[in-house]
Amino acid sequence: MSPPVLLVIAHGSRDPRHAATVHALVRRVRAVRPDVRVETGFLDFNVPSVQGVLESLETEGVRDVVALPLLLTRAFHAKADIPAVLADAPPRLRIRQAEVLGPSPLLLSALERRLYEAGLTPADKSSTGVVLASAGSSDPEAIAVIAEIAREWRHTGWCAVRPAFASASLPRTEDAVRELRELGCARVAVAPYVLAPGHLPDRIARGAERADVLADVLGPSPEVARVLLERYDEARTPVLAAAVGA
């Protein structure tokens, strides 16, 4: 029996860098697991749409799909938008929605990879304060998760770690940078906890103007690809069990 199709569901953006980054990540996933068919669908702004991909899969005779939200926290899109789209899928498809990517130790590894690529070294950790800059959300669960990630990351050796948000919540990136300066950190780095470029990551970058280091977005890093496949594997067993019992 073929494994379920992995449908990566991205938000979409008018910024062409967003879709390009999503496709680069999907290419990495395909390279790691060539036995798994991986498709991409967008909720808005880009094509193909999630609904269009699902309809095409049903026409081809596919029956089992793992729908994976390309999201770092369980906020509105994971709780409402994506389930609503999947509820309208062709009825012959057996779909299981995988968990969002975060939190995961692998994502912390990806954040550190980006900081080192931006010029830091492991020897800089104890004297460097880090701003964990996320897109932001009005969902208190998502905000609490970001705050907890910052607390956990601090215990790995950084001088200090502070969460910040580009929208919907406070503090902003520039405020967190200023706080770390006032704490006496020798240098301040901003680590965008976002998957792809776009409007909100650009806002994070503007807020990082007074920082010493600005890391790149997580993008198609190998750690992100590994987390994506972990979430797929966690979700696929119930899908296969349902198929056997059908």
Side-chain angles (χ1 to χ4, degrees), residues 161-238:
V161 180
R162 293 290 185 271
F165 307 95
S167 67
S169 306
L170 296 173
R172 295 287 184 257
T173 301
E174 54 268 32
D175 299 325
V177 169
R178 183 167 52 252
E179 180 184 352
L180 290 172
R181 292 272 187 226
E182 293 170 354
L183 278 176
C185 297
R187 66 183 63 78
V188 175
V190 174
Y193 189 59
V194 293
L195 288 166
H199 173 67
L200 293 180
D202 284 348
R203 185 179 292 177
I204 290 171
R206 289 193 296 272
E209 288 178 354
R210 295 184 179 276
D212 301 294
V213 174
L214 171 62
D216 200 357
V217 299
L218 295 173
S221 67
E223 296 86 356
V224 175
R226 285 174 59 194
V227 176
L228 198 153
L229 286 167
E230 282 186 358
R231 298 293 180 256
Y232 168 76
D233 286 333
E234 291 164 359
R236 68 182 293 226
T237 301

Side-chain angles (χ1 to χ4, degrees), residues 23 34 40 73 119 138 144 150 155 183 204 222 232 241 246:
H23 291 311
T40 308
T73 59
S138 58
H155 294 311
L183 278 176
I204 290 171
Y232 168 76

Side-chain angles (χ1 to χ4, degrees), residues 112-136:
E112 294 204 356
R113 169 193 290 274
R114 293 305 190 218
L115 286 170
Y116 297 150
E117 289 171 349
L120 293 179
T121 71
D124 296 323
K125 291 183 76 167
S126 63
S127 59
T128 301
V130 178
V131 178
L132 179 68
S134 75

Side-chain angles (χ1 to χ4, degrees), residues 138-149:
S138 58
D139 188 310
E141 177 187 349
I143 298 304
V145 167
I146 298 300
E148 180 60 26
I149 292 170

Side-chain angles (χ1 to χ4, degrees), residues 6 24-34 38 224-225 228-229:
L6 169 54
L25 174 60
V26 168
R27 286 194 297 271
R28 183 179 286 275
V29 171
R30 288 176 178 145
V32 173
R33 290 282 292 275
V38 187
V224 175
L228 198 153
L229 286 167

Side-chain angles (χ1 to χ4, degrees), residues 28-49:
R28 183 179 286 275
V29 171
R30 288 176 178 145
V32 173
R33 290 282 292 275
D35 60 310
V36 176
R37 178 176 175 181
V38 187
E39 300 292 342
T40 308
F42 295 91
L43 292 173
D44 205 356
F45 301 117
N46 302 105
V47 293
S49 68

Side-chain angles (χ1 to χ4, degrees), residues 39-80:
E39 300 292 342
T40 308
F42 295 91
L43 292 173
D44 205 356
F45 301 117
N46 302 105
V47 293
S49 68
V50 175
Q51 188 68 25
V53 174
L54 291 172
E55 290 173 357
S56 294
L57 291 174
E58 193 270 343
T59 299
E60 291 179 33
V62 170
R63 291 295 172 261
D64 295 307
V65 177
V66 170
L68 194 151
L70 198 60
L71 301 168
L72 294 171
T73 59
R74 273 184 48 79
F76 181 78
H77 294 306
K79 294 177 178 179

